[in-house]
Amino acid sequence: MAKTKISEYDSSSSANTDIDSIDLGEGTMVPSDVNNALREVMAHLADMNGGTQAIQDTFTLSDPADDTKRVRLDAVGITAGNTRVLTAPDADVTIAGLEAAQEFTKTQNFNATTLTDAASIGWDASVNQVTSVTITAARTMAAPTNMVDGAVYVITVIQDGTGGYAMSWNTVFKFAGATAPVVTATANARDTFVFISDGTNMYEIGRSQNIA
């Protein structure tokens, strides 16, 4: 089979008898094929560098001072047909591991978001972990979507410049004594509520009301 990309190269040198149909065989390769073969290798490298061809195996790097210290990149968990991009920050960093206990040396936070005010306020928890909503009339907080078991969520309910509005809560919100809070009705008042989820319900674990 013609080897048309790097992923088709063989780790056994004797098995690499052609490159893109250019004969590399001993005694059969003509002089002009040397240049052509080198050009094909360069084209294959350019394809890999440009992202049009992938190395179809795990990709391993080693420490230059100790080849036994290695790190391997593996795409086995990615859904077929998808390309995922790893973007590095403009800083020297240490990779965080999901399965490793680690101490962060810099602040980690979620971007604060704003929910859309509506008669029934929607809350997609997958993209609004720390959020707020400014209400302009009496409202109902609908059941959040995409809650994750063990995740903590924070929402601040803000009255507009007029104030005086009530907030009711969907039954997935669970409060101490099964009693839902009454939001502060003063104009521009802010009430912050903190919940932990089991993936189905939101259990209040803290609140701070009428924050001045």
Side-chain angles (χ1 to χ4, degrees):
M1 182 180 70
K3 293 176 170 54
T4 60
K5 51 190 175 182
I6 287 179
S7 61
E8 294 173 347
Y9 292 4
D10 202 293
S11 59
S12 176
S13 59
S14 62
N16 293 310
T17 57
D18 81 276
I19 180 167
D20 226 344
S21 298
I22 298 170
D23 184 11
L24 302 179
E26 293 182 20
T28 59
M29 183 180 187
V30 297
S32 62
D33 282 345
V34 175
N35 288 338
N36 292 334
L38 289 173
R39 291 171 180 146
E40 285 297 334
V41 170
M42 294 173 70
H44 294 171
L45 290 171
D47 285 341
M48 185 179 70
N49 184 62
T52 58
Q53 290 293 343
I55 298 177
Q56 293 178 350
D57 203 339
T58 56
F59 182 55
T60 304
L61 299 172
S62 68
D63 188 303
D66 185 347
D67 189 53
T68 66
K69 297 178 179 179
R70 301 183 177 188
V71 61
R72 185 180 72 185
L73 301 180
D74 197 326
V76 67
I78 297 175
T79 303
N82 288 340
T83 298
R84 300 305 185 194
V85 179
L86 301 177
T87 302
D90 187 16
D92 294 329
V93 297
T94 299
I95 297 174
L98 295 178
E99 293 81 15
Q102 292 176 291
E103 180 178 336
F104 289 94
T105 57
K106 296 292 183 181
T107 300
Q108 310 298 311
N109 65 280
F110 299 99
N111 287 335
T113 62
T114 302
L115 301 182
T116 300
D117 182 39
S120 179
I121 299 170
W123 183 359
D124 181 352
S126 68
V127 290
N128 299 283
Q129 191 154 3
V130 177
T131 192
S132 64
V133 62
T134 299
I135 58 176
T136 59
R139 300 304 194 204
T140 296
M141 184 64 66
T145 57
N146 300 312
M147 292 178 281
V148 175
D149 185 14
V152 174
Y153 301 97
V154 181
I155 185 168
T156 299
V157 179
I158 307 168
Q159 297 277 348
D160 71 1
T162 301
Y165 314 123
M167 171 73 78
S168 58
W169 303 81
N170 187 276
T171 56
V172 302
F173 292 96
K174 307 299 182 182
F175 301 97
T179 302
V182 176
V183 297
T184 305
T186 309
N188 302 310
R190 304 171 65 93
D191 294 344
T192 297
F193 304 93
V194 183
F195 301 92
I196 188 169
S197 178
D198 62 359
T200 302
N201 296 306
M202 288 274 203
Y203 297 90
E204 187 189 31
I205 57 174
R207 78 174 70 161
S208 184
Q209 293 191 264
N210 198 20
I211 305 169

